[in-house]
Amino acid sequence: MLRTHTCGELRITDVGKKVTLCGWLQKSRDIGSIGFIDLRDRYGITQLAFDETKNPETFEKARIYGRECVLRATGVVDERSSKNPKMDTGDIEIRVEELEILNESKTPPFTIEENTDGGDELRMKYRYLDLRRESVRKKIELRHQVTKHTRTYLDAQSFIEIETPVLIKSTPEGARDFVVPSRLNEGEWYALPQSPQTFKQLLMVSGMDKYYQIVKCFRDEDLRADRQPEFTQIDCEMSFVEQDDILNMFEGLTKFVFKNIHGIELSDFPRMSYQEAMNTYGSDKPDTRFEMKFVYLDEVARGKGFGLFDSSESIIAINVKGGAEFTRKQLDELTDFVKQPQIGAGGLIYCRYNSDGTLKSSVDKFFSEENLRQWAQTCNSAPGDLILVLCGKKSSTQKQMNELRLKLGRQPGLIRSGEYKALWVVDFPLLEFDDESGRWHAMHHPFTSPKPEDISELRSSPGKVRANAYDLVINGVEVGGGSIRIHDKKVQKEMFSLLGFTDEQAQAQFGFLMDAFEYGAPPHGGIAFGLDRLCSLLGETDSIRDFIAFPKNNAGRDVMIDAPSPLSKEQLEELGLK
Amino acid sequence: MLRTHTCGELRITDVGKKVTLCGWLQKSRDIGSIGFIDLRDRYGITQLAFDETKNPETFEKARIYGRECVLRATGVVDERSSKNPKMDTGDIEIRVEELEILNESKTPPFTIEENTDGGDELRMKYRYLDLRRESVRKKIELRHQVTKHTRTYLDAQSFIEIETPVLIKSTPEGARDFVVPSRLNEGEWYALPQSPQTFKQLLMVSGMDKYYQIVKCFRDEDLRADRQPEFTQIDCEMSFVEQDDILNMFEGLTKFVFKNIHGIELSDFPRMSYQEAMNTYGSDKPDTRFEMKFVYLDEVARGKGFGLFDSSESIIAINVKGGAEFTRKQLDELTDFVKQPQIGAGGLIYCRYNSDGTLKSSVDKFFSEENLRQWAQTCNSAPGDLILVLCGKKSSTQKQMNELRLKLGRQPGLIRSGEYKALWVVDFPLLEFDDESGRWHAMHHPFTSPKPEDISELRSSPGKVRANAYDLVINGVEVGGGSIRIHDKKVQKEMFSLLGFTDEQAQAQFGFLMDAFEYGAPPHGGIAFGLDRLCSLLGETDSIRDFIAFPKNNAGRDVMIDAPSPLSKEQLEELGLK
């Protein structure tokens, strides 16, 4: 090695040792005849000291090198006269005897510091410089730790990591595939996997019993903010299981990762039905770090002559603790918020439960204080609280109220940093009706098993059939999801038929899987975690992009290497594409 | 879980326990009123016993189920009357009380046994059944163990695993890229990486210091036997290193893996220059499990009137211990072998050193016994040995003799199973001249650093410049290779120019890397191991395909899922391809 130590490891006990360090010049300064350089590497920063009187030549060199030059310094570890308790190496410095420049650096386009002056676009173009910043590097290190602990847990549970192919077959069901022309089979294409779903099921048929893989997946979507065309899944499957076995196993994994990353012992994850989640939070990924559960005012607020309520399918309230203090301006802002087109409420009704015990609403014309007191009782409100009400079609009102609840609950300062609330959402509907295509779609995917007790209703009332499907939700983020799979060819055929496949289409696309089901497929199920998302949750930032070494922008471009890019004519011709 | 235990874990100490097992019916038989089923899962086989007198209904069921049905059996663990010491569970059986069929199975297209009757094609089509065979499953498990130990070692050495992108930019230098049309950027394409080479170098520029990744790579080659279009690398890079640091670090990794997989302590790996490897073995990946080093007879065999020798650039011999016993037929076969067009020797000359001390050659007309004794001395031959000689152009003769040496050395029975001989081949030439294109090509890749002491000859005699490049060779197989990289923009530009790139081409394809070199690139180097190859070496079979769960055939097809396949018109139109 060109060094004897890293820039993060020397301590007071090393004083007197002759050492060689390599790293980047973080900053330099002189104090009279002593020059200082902060030398940085992945492991930390060490102060180099240059004495003009003892070694004028080296002192001179140290003055001229600019930020981000790569240096190699040899000298003796010395105790600092003014120690820096904030730095691990803050007790010592190196009295440099020899200084060598290993590589020069132009002035970087932005400062390599925690508060950088570089905009998003610039930092993406020079991602290799952005990664030098400690907070960015720590996110990449966190990701490594997450995968390491994941593997430790799953290995200990007898899972085998098995690689599944990346060049597979296109199955137009679901999201769009990225495709790859085959030169050796002209006119034919591979597709990149959206997930290894069918392969992991085949591995169960093959008796592998417990499979996992930390694997790249690909989806050619119109990119929304913070979606990446390639993303990473922790993909798992087990045989001879029922739903609870999977939930317990992967609740264990999640606890293990949180414990090892943050030292947090997560408490047992509650299990909540999809129906309850929708009724109580208006969302299948509720953020349970705060209350404000939905209260239905239908019984107490209808029939009082307020036409809007009387004609609404649902009247939903939430109780905001201490909200009676909200100013008129704050209430107007909340009203504007729910009336935005992307939320779409007609308006917001409020009722203040003043500290003096009086009640005052925006619909006093229709409701007596007596009536409002009933609202307050139903909402379990106390003096000082605020009741907010939305009404309309039940499903839309639930969604609108979810947005309002999240806005109020996630206000800065209200949520404690480092707080995690996890739950399992279970009993999802198997199918959802898509108005646009006029047919049923699989809510999870076509391989999800219906609940055995609901299977008889598959034809008669498909919308009522529940699936053996589950999502892991933490702090309102869907971290993972999975299901018990169909392992019976007849049920799988029935499912494809419900989804509008002809027998021929089903056979052409998934014949290999249905054929496999005829040779002794075991009952099986699994789950997939979004690794990027899990990391961003553990790293307490919203952006998954921060946890990807070389992410793409919202147009799917890598602005650093400038991809995608045109191909040469020769390449296209070789592929039989002109 | 649907089971209480696996089929591999019950022992004599479990006798009396009530258990439930799940698995596949391996085989069944009756002995009078007792029926037996061998139930198989990933963990082993357990014998189920059915007593007609006690439980006639279950006994009847057990008789009708065929091979590969999925069963669930509940009963009590009992000591066997006739134990099977070859099975881990051979002391016990389960007295079955309840038997449930979880899934039926058609008769498999080949037997799920060690010696299967299924041909290669059939087993590939039903790969999920082939994977049920113990020897096949064990190879997939071995692969998992290899990656697990690799990660353990590298994690302990402070390497960070970092994922690099799969959708990158096409760089036509080198092998052909697989490409992916971008729907969001019409007319532009991504490429799949042939290796994460430039990204790992950028990670070094970013200060990540020690990187690794176990990663899929892609090469659109005309497939030879046992080449896969997608393959997996253990990809590594380190900063502030010299060549020896890399060799030591990854020699350590290799020893760690062999120790943990096979319990073998490999001795230190010799380091041999490319030149020595070519001169001594005629190959840059010599199999050093056996001797038969090349001996040059130029001095002792030239000038004796044998025109063929006199007009040859090189006369190369190997000494075959005990080979004097070879029959005329065996010698004729060896002659035919070297004369095959793919080897291309003109003929084979031999000299028997008989046990009685006499010498007899196929060129006695030109060489006296005295002359032949000189050959024998030069070759260090003893009575009973055979000297085989080839001559011609030096480089071709070395290659021909390499083939002959491997054929003789690798004969069945001569090499001990489980013997591993590793070495580093170092000091490769930086460039090789390609007659077809009439220009220099990078022997390793264009980012490989020339040896500093040779750098002045880059322009004057490019062929003489040695690279800081190295290969890890075990048993004649190239398991890994790497180099110290160029970290200086000027040297990198010079290299591209030598390789025939214009400045514009170099900038368009690799500008991002050369730009990165201007912002403080550290000295760095790395290595990549072929995981598939390493596994096949550890698993002692030649075929890498056996160690891939779902391999492709020699035409790049996955015959199980039938990929690649045509796309729909809609898909092509969406991509702007008609």
Side-chain angles (χ1 to χ4, degrees):
Chain A
M1 301 289 292
L2 298 178
R3 65 191 174 209
T4 58
H5 295 78
T6 70
C7 296
E9 69 179 304
L10 292 168
R11 298 288 182 274
I12 193 82
T13 47
D14 296 304
V15 165
K17 280 187 193 160
K18 182 147 185 178
V19 299
T20 301
L21 302 186
C22 294
W24 286 263
L25 190 157
Q26 177 75 22
K27 62 180 180 198
S28 62
R29 64 202 177 281
D30 314 330
I31 301 172
S33 65
I34 308 284
F36 295 100
I37 282 179
D38 281 354
L39 193 69
R40 187 197 70 234
D41 67 12
R42 185 185 118 198
Y43 311 93
I45 289 179
T46 297
Q47 180 166 292
L48 308 179
F50 303 86
D51 190 328
E52 187 177 16
T53 51
K54 288 195 185 145
N55 200 331
E57 199 188 326
T58 304
F59 176 85
E60 239 3 273
K61 274 201 225 166
R63 293 184 65 157
I64 52 167
Y65 297 145
R67 288 185 173 222
E68 301 307 318
C69 281
V70 188
L71 300 178
R72 183 185 192 205
T74 299
V76 175
V77 182
D78 200 2
E79 184 168 359
R80 276 207 216 179
S81 51
S82 68
K83 300 196 168 97
N84 181 347
K86 284 186 208 149
M87 287 171 68
D88 290 338
T89 63
D91 288 349
I92 58 100
E93 63 190 10
I94 313 297
R95 297 267 153 197
V96 177
E97 291 160 12
E98 287 168 61
L99 183 66
E100 184 187 347
I101 183 158
L102 296 174
N103 216 339
E104 316 237 357
S105 177
K106 293 205 296 192
T107 304
F110 52 87
T111 55
I112 312 293
E113 280 173 5
E114 281 325 285
N115 293 312
T116 181
D117 53 358
D120 205 46
E121 191 73 359
L122 197 63
R123 286 187 294 110
M124 281 300 140
K125 184 167 162 56
Y126 295 93
R127 180 66 172 168
Y128 47 86
L129 297 180
D130 201 29
L131 286 168
R132 285 187 192 164
R133 298 196 303 126
E134 190 185 3
S135 62
V136 182
R137 194 195 69 232
K138 281 199 177 307
K139 293 192 174 84
I140 303 298
E141 289 174 341
L142 172 76
R143 184 185 181 105
H144 172 55
Q145 291 300 318
V146 172
T147 58
K148 188 174 137 181
H149 296 308
T150 299
R151 287 195 166 93
T152 301
Y153 178 88
L154 294 172
D155 288 350
Q157 299 285 344
S158 302
F159 282 78
I160 312 179
E161 187 166 24
I162 303 177
E163 291 177 63
T164 53
V166 176
L167 296 171
I168 65 165
K169 184 184 174 119
S170 184
T171 53
E173 177 69 7
R176 252 181 241 100
D177 285 326
F178 282 105
V179 293
V180 180
S182 166
R183 183 179 53 87
L184 295 175
N185 304 274
E186 205 178 303
E188 299 194 311
W189 300 67
Y190 301 101
L192 305 183
Q194 296 182 29
S195 94
Q197 183 62 34
T198 49
F199 288 98
K200 68 176 174 174
Q201 292 193 244
L202 291 172
L203 287 171
M204 294 303 103
V205 175
S206 79
M208 289 296 171
D209 204 70
K210 289 176 174 171
Y211 143 94
Y212 82 98
Q213 189 182 190
I214 300 183
V215 60
K216 275 280 173 75
C217 300
F218 306 87
R219 228 167 264 178
D220 184 12
E221 287 178 296
D222 294 322
L223 298 166
R224 281 178 274 158
D226 222 34
R227 279 278 178 111
Q228 291 282 318
E230 53 180 296
F231 54 97
T232 305
Q233 276 185 195
I234 303 169
D235 193 53
C236 310
E237 199 80 4
M238 297 168 74
S239 289
F240 302 116
V241 288
E242 293 169 301
Q243 179 166 307
D244 268 0
D245 302 315
I246 307 248
L247 302 194
N248 293 335
M249 177 64 78
F250 293 98
E251 185 166 325
L253 168 63
T254 310
K255 287 177 176 174
F256 185 82
V257 169
F258 273 80
K259 171 83 183 154
N260 280 283
I261 295 285
H262 282 321
I264 296 174
E265 304 269 5
L266 294 182
S267 39
D268 288 349
F269 304 177
R271 293 164 194 195
M272 185 184 292
S273 76
Y274 172 84
Q275 215 48 63
E276 185 187 345
M278 294 309 291
N279 284 337
T280 314
Y281 299 100
S283 166
D284 59 1
K285 42 181 187 187
D287 189 338
T288 53
R289 282 174 298 178
F290 46 90
E291 289 286 324
M292 293 193 280
K293 291 180 183 170
F294 291 6
V295 179
Y296 290 78
L297 296 185
D298 304 73
E299 286 194 13
V300 298
R302 229 192 290 271
K304 308 289 174 186
F306 183 40
L308 189 63
F309 278 1
D310 292 351
S311 64
S312 287
E313 188 189 352
S314 266
I315 307 164
I316 306 180
I318 55 173
N319 181 62
V320 185
K321 275 275 153 236
E325 310 276 297
F326 279 22
T327 61
R328 179 79 220 176
K329 182 157 168 270
Q330 282 174 300
L331 288 168
D332 285 348
E333 278 169 8
L334 291 177
T335 308
D336 290 345
F337 174 78
V338 297
K339 287 169 82 174
Q340 291 174 92
Q342 58 269 46
I343 295 186
L348 178 66
I349 289 150
Y350 68 82
C351 170
R352 280 207 178 90
Y353 195 166
N354 296 314
S355 342
D356 62 5
T358 59
L359 289 137
K360 173 86 189 135
S361 82
S362 55
V363 286
D364 279 355
K365 213 192 297 182
F366 304 99
F367 296 92
S368 67
E369 196 161 344
E370 183 72 7
N371 292 146
L372 298 177
R373 206 163 295 279
Q374 277 189 292
W375 293 19
Q377 265 162 11
T378 313
C379 293
N380 216 0
S381 304
D385 291 356
L386 173 74
I387 298 169
L388 295 174
V389 187
L390 293 173
C391 65
K393 195 163 166 277
K394 185 175 178 183
S395 60
S396 330
T397 309
Q398 285 176 339
K399 278 180 197 139
Q400 292 155 9
M401 192 54 105
N402 168 51
E403 299 288 346
L404 180 61
R405 177 182 175 274
L406 289 181
K407 183 181 169 64
L408 289 162
R410 289 179 176 172
Q411 273 176 16
L414 282 188
I415 290 179
R416 262 184 302 140
S417 155
E419 186 181 6
Y420 292 98
K421 281 280 168 63
L423 77 157
W424 290 104
V425 177
V426 298
D427 299 349
F428 277 81
L430 182 68
L431 301 159
E432 53 189 350
F433 195 77
D434 180 54
D435 291 322
E436 203 176 313
S437 60
R439 61 182 184 85
W440 293 98
H441 281 244
M443 192 144 175
H444 196 66
H445 56 50
F447 313 107
T448 298
S449 168
K451 286 209 178 278
E453 60 268 35
D454 294 0
I455 218 161
S456 59
E457 295 194 278
L458 259 183
R459 280 283 157 196
S460 52
S461 15
K464 284 197 183 150
V465 176
R466 290 165 307 157
N468 270 327
Y470 32 81
D471 277 355
L472 173 60
V473 176
I474 305 180
N475 293 1
V477 173
E478 183 200 321
V479 173
S483 63
I484 299 295
R485 327 296 183 185
I486 298 167
H487 65 280
D488 181 279
K489 179 171 179 170
K490 286 189 298 293
V491 179
Q492 189 64 69
K493 269 184 88 163
E494 172 84 3
M495 188 71 185
F496 282 129
S497 149
L498 260 176
L499 296 174
F501 282 73
T502 65
D503 278 2
E504 292 68 36
Q505 286 168 333
Q507 190 59 37
Q509 283 183 37
F510 298 108
F512 60 96
L513 186 64
M514 289 193 290
D515 289 350
F517 285 173
E518 296 201 300
Y519 293 100
H524 62 286
I527 194 167
F529 290 79
L531 175 63
D532 311 292
R533 184 64 67 200
L534 178 62
C535 289
S536 80
L537 189 74
L538 284 159
E540 295 193 72
T541 58
D542 282 339
S543 166
I544 62 167
R545 197 187 284 180
D546 293 356
F547 296 85
I548 297 172
F550 299 103
K552 293 189 174 54
N553 73 9
N554 285 347
R557 294 199 74 83
D558 182 326
V559 295
M560 180 184 71
I561 63 170
D562 192 27
S565 58
L567 292 186
S568 70
K569 234 180 76 197
E570 293 75 27
Q571 276 179 294
L572 291 172
E573 273 166 10
E574 263 202 317
L575 293 167
L577 305 159
K578 55 139 215 214
Chain B
M1 297 291 291
L2 297 178
R3 65 189 174 208
T4 58
H5 295 77
T6 69
C7 295
E9 68 179 306
L10 292 168
R11 299 287 182 275
I12 192 81
T13 49
D14 296 304
V15 165
K17 281 188 191 158
K18 182 149 184 175
V19 300
T20 302
L21 303 186
C22 294
W24 286 262
L25 191 158
Q26 177 75 21
K27 62 180 180 198
S28 61
R29 65 205 177 280
D30 317 330
I31 300 172
S33 65
I34 306 285
F36 295 100
I37 282 179
D38 281 354
L39 194 68
R40 186 196 71 232
D41 67 10
R42 184 184 118 199
Y43 311 93
I45 289 179
T46 298
Q47 180 165 292
L48 308 179
F50 303 86
D51 190 328
E52 186 175 17
T53 52
K54 290 196 185 145
N55 200 332
E57 199 187 326
T58 304
F59 177 84
E60 239 5 271
K61 273 202 225 166
R63 292 184 66 157
I64 54 167
Y65 299 143
R67 289 185 174 223
E68 301 306 319
C69 280
V70 188
L71 300 177
R72 184 185 190 204
T74 299
V76 174
V77 182
D78 199 3
E79 185 168 0
R80 277 208 215 179
S81 51
S82 70
K83 300 200 167 95
N84 182 347
K86 284 187 206 147
M87 286 172 69
D88 291 338
T89 63
D91 289 349
I92 60 99
E93 64 190 10
I94 314 296
R95 296 267 156 200
V96 177
E97 292 159 11
E98 288 167 62
L99 183 66
E100 183 187 346
I101 183 158
L102 297 174
N103 216 341
E104 317 236 358
S105 177
K106 294 204 295 193
T107 304
F110 50 88
T111 55
I112 313 292
E113 280 173 2
E114 281 325 286
N115 294 312
T116 182
D117 52 359
D120 204 46
E121 191 73 0
L122 197 64
R123 286 187 295 111
M124 281 298 141
K125 183 167 164 55
Y126 296 92
R127 179 67 171 169
Y128 47 87
L129 297 180
D130 200 30
L131 286 169
R132 284 188 193 164
R133 297 197 302 127
E134 189 185 2
S135 62
V136 182
R137 195 196 67 234
K138 280 200 179 304
K139 292 191 175 85
I140 304 297
E141 289 175 340
L142 172 76
R143 186 185 180 104
H144 172 56
Q145 291 300 318
V146 172
T147 59
K148 188 174 138 181
H149 296 307
T150 299
R151 287 195 167 93
T152 301
Y153 178 88
L154 293 173
D155 288 350
Q157 299 285 344
S158 301
F159 281 78
I160 311 179
E161 187 167 23
I162 303 176
E163 291 178 64
T164 53
V166 176
L167 297 171
I168 66 165
K169 185 185 174 116
S170 182
T171 52
E173 176 70 6
R176 254 181 238 101
D177 286 325
F178 281 106
V179 294
V180 180
S182 166
R183 184 179 54 85
L184 295 175
N185 304 274
E186 206 179 302
E188 299 193 310
W189 299 69
Y190 301 101
L192 305 182
Q194 297 183 28
S195 95
Q197 182 63 34
T198 50
F199 288 98
K200 68 175 174 174
Q201 292 193 243
L202 290 172
L203 287 172
M204 294 302 104
V205 176
S206 79
M208 289 296 170
D209 205 71
K210 287 175 175 172
Y211 143 95
Y212 81 99
Q213 189 182 192
I214 300 182
V215 60
K216 275 281 174 74
C217 300
F218 306 86
R219 226 168 265 177
D220 183 13
E221 288 177 297
D222 294 323
L223 299 167
R224 280 176 275 159
D226 221 33
R227 278 279 177 109
Q228 290 283 318
E230 52 179 295
F231 55 96
T232 305
Q233 277 185 194
I234 304 169
D235 193 53
C236 309
E237 198 80 4
M238 297 169 74
S239 290
F240 302 117
V241 287
E242 293 169 301
Q243 178 166 308
D244 268 1
D245 302 315
I246 307 248
L247 301 195
N248 292 335
M249 176 66 75
F250 293 98
E251 185 165 326
L253 169 63
T254 310
K255 287 176 176 174
F256 185 82
V257 169
F258 273 80
K259 170 82 183 158
N260 280 283
I261 295 285
H262 281 321
I264 297 174
E265 305 269 5
L266 294 182
S267 39
D268 289 347
F269 304 177
R271 294 167 192 193
M272 185 185 290
S273 75
Y274 171 85
Q275 214 49 62
E276 186 186 344
M278 294 308 292
N279 283 338
T280 314
Y281 299 100
S283 166
D284 58 2
K285 42 180 187 189
D287 189 336
T288 52
R289 284 175 296 178
F290 46 90
E291 289 285 323
M292 292 195 279
K293 292 181 184 169
F294 292 5
V295 179
Y296 290 77
L297 296 184
D298 303 74
E299 286 193 14
V300 298
R302 229 191 290 270
K304 311 285 175 188
F306 182 39
L308 188 63
F309 278 2
D310 292 349
S311 64
S312 286
E313 187 188 355
S314 265
I315 306 163
I316 307 180
I318 54 175
N319 182 63
V320 185
K321 276 272 152 243
E325 311 276 296
F326 280 20
T327 61
R328 178 79 219 177
K329 183 155 167 273
Q330 280 175 302
L331 287 169
D332 285 349
E333 277 168 8
L334 291 176
T335 307
D336 290 346
F337 173 78
V338 297
K339 286 170 84 174
Q340 292 174 93
Q342 58 270 47
I343 295 186
L348 178 67
I349 288 149
Y350 67 83
C351 170
R352 280 206 179 90
Y353 195 165
N354 296 314
S355 342
D356 62 6
T358 59
L359 289 138
K360 172 88 190 134
S361 82
S362 55
V363 285
D364 279 354
K365 211 192 300 181
F366 304 98
F367 297 93
S368 66
E369 195 162 345
E370 181 72 7
N371 292 147
L372 296 177
R373 204 163 296 280
Q374 275 188 297
W375 294 18
Q377 264 162 13
T378 312
C379 294
N380 216 1
S381 305
D385 291 355
L386 173 74
I387 297 168
L388 295 174
V389 187
L390 293 172
C391 64
K393 196 165 163 277
K394 185 174 178 183
S395 60
S396 332
T397 309
Q398 285 176 340
K399 278 180 196 138
Q400 292 155 8
M401 191 54 106
N402 168 51
E403 298 289 345
L404 181 62
R405 176 181 175 272
L406 290 180
K407 184 180 169 64
L408 288 162
R410 290 179 176 172
Q411 272 176 16
L414 281 191
I415 289 179
R416 264 184 300 139
S417 156
E419 185 182 7
Y420 292 98
K421 280 279 168 67
L423 77 157
W424 290 104
V425 177
V426 297
D427 299 349
F428 277 81
L430 182 68
L431 302 159
E432 52 188 351
F433 196 77
D434 180 54
D435 290 323
E436 204 176 310
S437 61
R439 61 182 184 84
W440 292 97
H441 281 244
M443 192 146 176
H444 196 65
H445 56 51
F447 313 108
T448 298
S449 169
K451 285 207 177 280
E453 60 267 37
D454 294 0
I455 218 163
S456 59
E457 294 192 281
L458 259 183
R459 281 284 157 195
S460 52
S461 17
K464 284 197 184 151
V465 175
R466 290 166 307 157
N468 271 325
Y470 32 82
D471 277 356
L472 173 61
V473 176
I474 304 180
N475 293 1
V477 173
E478 183 198 322
V479 172
S483 63
I484 299 296
R485 325 299 183 185
I486 297 167
H487 64 280
D488 181 280
K489 180 169 178 170
K490 286 188 299 290
V491 178
Q492 190 65 68
K493 271 184 85 162
E494 171 85 3
M495 187 70 185
F496 282 129
S497 147
L498 260 175
L499 298 174
F501 283 72
T502 65
D503 278 1
E504 293 67 36
Q505 286 168 333
Q507 190 59 35
Q509 285 183 36
F510 298 108
F512 61 95
L513 186 65
M514 289 195 289
D515 290 349
F517 285 174
E518 295 202 300
Y519 292 100
H524 62 285
I527 194 166
F529 291 79
L531 175 63
D532 311 291
R533 185 65 65 200
L534 178 62
C535 289
S536 80
L537 189 73
L538 284 158
E540 297 194 68
T541 58
D542 281 339
S543 165
I544 62 167
R545 198 187 284 181
D546 293 355
F547 296 85
I548 298 172
F550 299 104
K552 293 188 173 56
N553 74 8
N554 286 347
R557 295 200 73 84
D558 183 325
V559 294
M560 179 186 71
I561 62 170
D562 192 26
S565 59
L567 293 186
S568 69
K569 232 181 76 197
E570 294 74 29
Q571 277 179 295
L572 290 172
E573 272 165 10
E574 263 202 317
L575 293 168
L577 305 157
K578 51 142 218 214

